Each structure stands twice: as C-alpha cells, then as structure tokens.
Amino acid sequence: MITNKEKPLTPNLPAIKRLANEISKANVSRLVLVHGGGSFGHPIAEQYTIMDGYKNRSQIMGFSKTRQAMIALNKLVVDSLIQHNIPAVTVQPSSCIITKQGRIQLMEEKPLRKLLEMEFVPVLHGDAVLDSDKGFAILSGDQLVSSLAIKLNAERIIIGIDVDGLYASDPKTDSTAQLIQHVTLQELRKLHHKIEENKVTDVTGGMFGKMMELMPAVEKGIQAMIINAAKSDNVYKALKSEKVSGTVIKRGEEVA
Amino acid sequence: MITNKEKPLTPNLPAIKRLANEISKANVSRLVLVHGGGSFGHPIAEQYTIMDGYKNRSQIMGFSKTRQAMIALNKLVVDSLIQHNIPAVTVQPSSCIITKQGRIQLMEEKPLRKLLEMEFVPVLHGDAVLDSDKGFAILSGDQLVSSLAIKLNAERIIIGIDVDGLYASDPKTDSTAQLIQHVTLQELRKLHHKIEENKVTDVTGGMFGKMMELMPAVEKGIQAMIINAAKSDNVYKALKSEKVSGTVIKRGEEVA
C-alpha cells in the first residue's frame, strides 16, 4: 500500500500522505501504528535470504541494507505524519526486540508504554531483527501488531491492505471471488486444517498467513478488522468506528 | 564534526564520507560507533526546550521533530558506512533506553550485544529519550559512550571532535592555549572543584562536560582519548593504535 510493490525502494508518496491525513483527521487517542516493508524491506531481505537466518558472512551486508531500507521507508512515513501534525515517534523494533525461531522472545516495552502515556503516536514496522537461535530473522508487521495488541491490551486492530479483506478465492485472479465479511476463529481453524490437510496453496491470495498471525490477539477478545486502505477514507472511517466494507475476525461463541 | 554547526539540519557530507573511509580502512573488530546531534538534534531540542523535560503540550511536536532529525542524521551516517562496506546497523537509543533525571536508568542491551557477537558495527547516537521523572530528556552521545564502554567492558574510548583535545584555555578564542596531552582523574577532579568553587565558566571551550561524562568509564580502567577528527587520518590512526596528537585521560596512580 505505502510502496510500489513492482519497483524496489519506491514509496507511494501520495498514499502515505493521504493516510497521514486520514489518521490526523480521525484524531483518535492511544493509537499505535505499524507498517510493513513493501518494496523497501522485502527485495533486499530476499536477495540475501535474511528470513532463513544466518548461514554465511555474505548475508551480513544484506542484513545491514535491509535494516537501512526499513529506516528509509519509516522515515518517509513519520515525516508525513509529523507534517500532518501527528506527534509520531519511531520505535525501532530491532532495537528493543529479540526473536527466537522468528517469534518474539523478548521485547523492552517501557519506551513504547511511556510514549503512549504521554499521548505520542508510536510508529513501528516490520524489521530485520536479531534471533537467539537463527542469528537473525524477519519480524513481520503482522506478528508485531498481534503481539503489541495483546501486550497493550488494545481495544481493536485495524489492518489496512490493498484488497477489501478475506475472500473465498483470490480477488486478484478471480473476478467472482466473494468477500467474507465475518469470520470466527473456529472457521479460520477449519480453513487452516483444510489447507494443511490438502497441502493446497493459500487460495485467498496470501491473506491466510495474515489471519493466522492475528488469531492470538483475537483469542484474547481483541476484534480485528481487515479493510482496503487503498480506498479513500476507509482508514478514517475505521478509526472513527464508522461502517467500512472489509473482513471482521471475531472470537466467536465457542471460546466466549 | 559531521554537521555544519552554523546551519540547522546541514550535514557535512565530505566529513562523513572521509570518516567512513577511515573506519573502513582501519577494519577493527568489536567496534561500536556513537555520534552526536550537531546541527540536526540541537536547534530543534533547544527551540522546544526538550532538555528541561515535559512542561506543556507545545513541546510534544518538538520531541517528535527532534527524534526525526536524529534519524535523518543517523541515516546519512549509516548510509555512508554501508557504502564503505562496513556492516553498520543502527541501534536507536530511544527505543531501548529510559532515563531518570537525564541519566540512563534502564537499557535493553541484548540486541546490541548480539550485533557485536555477529560482528556487525552497531551505530548509536545522542537522542531525545523518555525519562521516568521528567517525561523526556536529552541523552548525550557522551553519556552513552561512557555507559556503553562500561557495560560492554570496552578496551578503549576514542572521542573525535573538531579541536585537538583538552586545552588549559579555549583554543578557539586563545591562540596561545596549551594542549594538555595527559590528564588523570585526580587532575580532572581538581579542575572540577576549581570550576565549582569559583563559579567560573568552563574555560576549556565546553570540553570539561565531555570529560566529566567520561570519568566513570576511566575509573573502571578504560582509557579514553580525545582527538581531532577534523584532521585527516586521525581517526584511522587512533583506531590502529598509532600515535595521534590529543588528550589521553588515564585513571592515574591513586585508584590503581
């Protein structure tokens, strides 16, 4: 969404500006923002296989470059937020988080909590982090969102992507794809089981991995909503709790 | 040194590039780099009196802007280091440190230690941080250097500035000022006492505050050296333990 995914290291500055404006207009309190890597982090991380962990010295410069690319993208985001009068402050995930096998093992939360207490808007991002087993790993924005929502006892999670939500098939290749407006954890688990059993690929267009990451937060009773942030005012409306088309993930009755 | 101090937000790119080249050429292991704020952090921090702590809401955007200015300067530094093939990785101090009355109270060191273990070159900087008493504070690069040297059991500290070292008077205003080549902690304490007693200003041109910050590390037996980084090859020579004109601070006999 905030980068041009076809071109490495190319921001989508109009989208960044528009979203900063929507967030500013909504003016909600106790907001934490997390963005992904788009065409900044991913191509370099893939080139140096950072997600596989440390294998040899040739990856070392690749890790430095991945980190630096994420700083570059984050700087554009935070510059724009500040221009829209949002007291945005970067919290660099790799400076305060260590993963173990790619999962958050340790996080120093005090600076983040103190920022929220003082009514700043902390901004985090997917990042290349140190991993206690693998040397290094990629920490996705999705894992970070879910983990932060639990730690901070969030009211809700809003995920802005470039499609309307979870579809029964991939909307980018299937024009008859049906949007799933509500899904429960039980339904997601069944879908997961089906994918695992049949060794089928993720027919939803990569959305299922995102859903899986959000499940632990939803299990704690935090509602998660996936919306199309590429459509004007969707982020604004979601922040203001106005009606927006998308997919809502709810815990459902069985664990209530 | 790495910024034009007369002009806000103006980097000294030739100096950054030259220093990156000297550091690359020296190729030392277990190196941690720390830079200051120069004309990036200081003018904004002063404008919003960030160093006085939180007083009112009008400072909030100033804190965001100070943080963002330090990210901008750090990005230029790390970009240049990476261009010189140094596996530099930013560790954002404000993401892992909380101060209390301006002094480091808490620091999550694991990411930094792990980076060193993997032979990266961590890069830190003076920063606007959260403070448990004052809301926020300025953490100087000097305090950070001293604290990190103690935590990491450093072999030595090299401080690169734009004069040759500690002078008996200010070399920028007194052309007959004498460079002090060696100074012990006892001598520094006497000088401190004299300054406190007579309420005289720091005649050494602001160098004394820097010295005071380094004292705790020197007390632990870590040698600190102040050199003129504006002179070509001084940083290279100091890293290679070659002879460089400057001021060496030693613990001295009395605490040996």
Side-chain angles (χ1 to χ4, degrees):
Chain A
M1 247 310 296
I2 59 171
T3 68
N4 179 335
K5 278 188 189 149
E6 313 305 318
K7 290 188 197 164
L9 301 172
T10 312
N12 182 348
L13 291 175
I16 292 173
K17 201 174 157 181
R18 179 181 53 78
L19 290 170
N21 186 45
E22 291 185 28
I23 294 164
S24 176
K25 218 169 44 167
N27 192 27
V28 294
S29 61
R30 290 190 64 79
L31 177 67
V32 177
L33 298 174
V34 177
H35 64 80
S39 69
F40 278 72
H42 295 174
I44 307 173
E46 270 165 37
Q47 186 191 339
Y48 291 91
T49 63
I50 302 303
M51 55 292 290
D52 296 345
Y54 178 76
K55 308 280 181 195
N56 59 67
R57 295 296 304 164
S58 70
Q59 293 170 292
I60 291 290
M61 286 307 300
F63 181 87
S64 286
K65 287 175 186 170
T66 305
R67 280 279 276 262
Q68 197 65 355
M70 286 311 302
I71 287 173
L73 176 58
N74 176 257
K75 187 176 177 302
L76 294 173
V77 170
V78 177
D79 278 344
S80 189
L81 292 166
I82 290 175
Q83 275 158 25
H84 288 83
N85 219 29
I86 297 165
V89 176
T90 297
V91 175
Q92 191 186 34
S94 45
S95 292
C96 56
I97 290 173
I98 294 270
T99 58
K100 186 178 167 76
Q101 293 293 335
R103 310 302 306 174
I104 296 173
Q105 180 184 30
L106 170 157
M107 174 172 183
E108 177 49 65
E109 302 161 29
K110 287 196 192 74
L112 176 63
R113 287 184 188 275
K114 183 88 186 168
L115 284 171
L116 277 175
E117 198 183 288
M118 293 184 75
E119 299 175 38
F120 285 105
V121 176
V123 185
L124 297 92
H125 51 80
D127 208 356
V129 298
L130 282 310
D131 188 283
S132 56
D133 283 351
K134 297 164 67 185
F136 43 62
I138 296 296
L139 170 65
S140 73
D142 296 324
Q143 184 187 157
L144 200 47
V145 163
S146 189
S147 171
L148 289 176
I150 295 170
K151 284 175 198 295
L152 299 172
N153 197 18
E155 191 187 314
R156 59 205 175 105
I157 295 169
I158 300 166
I159 304 276
I161 54 170
D162 60 356
V163 291
D164 280 353
L166 179 67
Y167 283 81
S169 54
D170 187 351
K172 287 184 180 171
T173 54
D174 176 4
S175 63
T176 67
Q178 287 277 320
L179 178 68
I180 299 166
Q181 289 186 296
H182 293 274
V183 67
T184 64
L185 286 181
Q186 199 176 17
E187 287 162 350
L188 280 177
R189 282 192 206 100
K190 275 185 198 157
L191 186 53
H192 183 216
H193 193 66
K194 205 167 121 189
I195 291 177
E196 293 269 292
E197 279 252 299
N198 304 326
K199 308 233 181 279
V200 295
T201 52
D202 183 351
V203 293
T204 61
M207 280 294 298
F208 198 70
K210 208 173 267 293
M211 295 285 180
M212 291 297 289
E213 283 292 4
L214 295 174
M215 283 173 70
V218 177
E219 267 164 24
K220 301 272 179 194
I222 303 163
Q223 195 189 85
M225 186 177 200
I226 299 178
I227 58 163
N228 193 340
K231 291 187 180 164
S232 271
D233 270 344
N234 268 2
V235 165
Y236 169 77
K237 285 179 192 161
L239 286 169
K240 297 295 270 185
S241 301
E242 292 177 14
K243 200 174 151 47
V244 190
S245 156
T247 300
V248 173
I249 316 169
K250 281 184 177 165
R251 190 159 55 175
E253 298 310 316
E254 83 286 9
V255 275
Chain B
M1 248 308 296
I2 60 171
T3 67
N4 180 337
K5 279 190 189 149
E6 313 305 318
K7 289 189 198 161
L9 300 172
T10 312
N12 183 347
L13 291 175
I16 291 173
K17 202 174 156 182
R18 178 179 56 75
L19 290 170
N21 186 46
E22 292 185 28
I23 293 163
S24 176
K25 217 169 44 168
N27 192 27
V28 295
S29 61
R30 290 191 64 79
L31 178 67
V32 177
L33 298 174
V34 178
H35 64 80
S39 69
F40 278 71
H42 295 174
I44 306 172
E46 269 165 39
Q47 186 191 337
Y48 290 91
T49 62
I50 303 301
M51 56 292 288
D52 295 345
Y54 177 76
K55 307 281 182 195
N56 60 67
R57 295 296 305 165
S58 70
Q59 292 170 293
I60 291 292
M61 286 307 299
F63 182 86
S64 285
K65 287 176 186 171
T66 305
R67 280 279 276 263
Q68 196 66 352
M70 286 312 302
I71 287 172
L73 177 58
N74 176 257
K75 185 175 178 302
L76 295 173
V77 169
V78 176
D79 278 343
S80 189
L81 291 166
I82 289 176
Q83 275 158 25
H84 288 83
N85 219 28
I86 297 166
V89 176
T90 297
V91 175
Q92 191 186 35
S94 45
S95 291
C96 57
I97 291 172
I98 295 270
T99 58
K100 186 180 167 74
Q101 292 293 335
R103 309 303 303 174
I104 295 173
Q105 180 184 29
L106 169 156
M107 174 171 181
E108 177 49 66
E109 301 162 29
K110 288 194 191 77
L112 176 62
R113 287 184 188 275
K114 182 89 185 167
L115 284 171
L116 277 175
E117 200 183 284
M118 295 185 74
E119 300 176 34
F120 285 104
V121 175
V123 184
L124 297 93
H125 51 81
D127 209 354
V129 299
L130 281 309
D131 189 283
S132 56
D133 282 352
K134 296 163 68 183
F136 44 62
I138 296 296
L139 170 65
S140 73
D142 296 325
Q143 184 187 157
L144 199 48
V145 163
S146 189
S147 170
L148 290 175
I150 294 170
K151 284 175 198 294
L152 300 170
N153 198 17
E155 191 187 313
R156 60 207 174 101
I157 295 169
I158 299 167
I159 304 275
I161 53 169
D162 61 354
V163 292
D164 281 353
L166 179 67
Y167 283 81
S169 55
D170 187 349
K172 288 183 178 170
T173 54
D174 176 3
S175 62
T176 67
Q178 286 276 319
L179 179 67
I180 299 166
Q181 288 185 297
H182 293 274
V183 68
T184 64
L185 286 181
Q186 199 177 20
E187 286 163 351
L188 280 177
R189 282 192 205 99
K190 274 184 198 158
L191 185 52
H192 183 216
H193 193 69
K194 205 167 121 188
I195 290 176
E196 294 268 292
E197 279 254 296
N198 303 325
K199 307 233 181 279
V200 294
T201 52
D202 183 352
V203 294
T204 62
M207 280 294 298
F208 198 71
K210 206 173 270 292
M211 296 285 180
M212 290 297 289
E213 282 292 3
L214 295 174
M215 283 173 71
V218 176
E219 267 163 23
K220 301 273 180 195
I222 302 163
Q223 196 188 84
M225 187 177 198
I226 298 178
I227 59 165
N228 192 339
K231 291 186 181 167
S232 270
D233 270 342
N234 268 2
V235 165
Y236 170 77
K237 285 178 190 162
L239 286 169
K240 298 294 270 183
S241 300
E242 292 177 14
K243 200 174 151 45
V244 190
S245 157
T247 300
V248 173
I249 317 170
K250 282 183 176 165
R251 189 158 57 175
E253 297 310 315
E254 82 287 8
V255 273

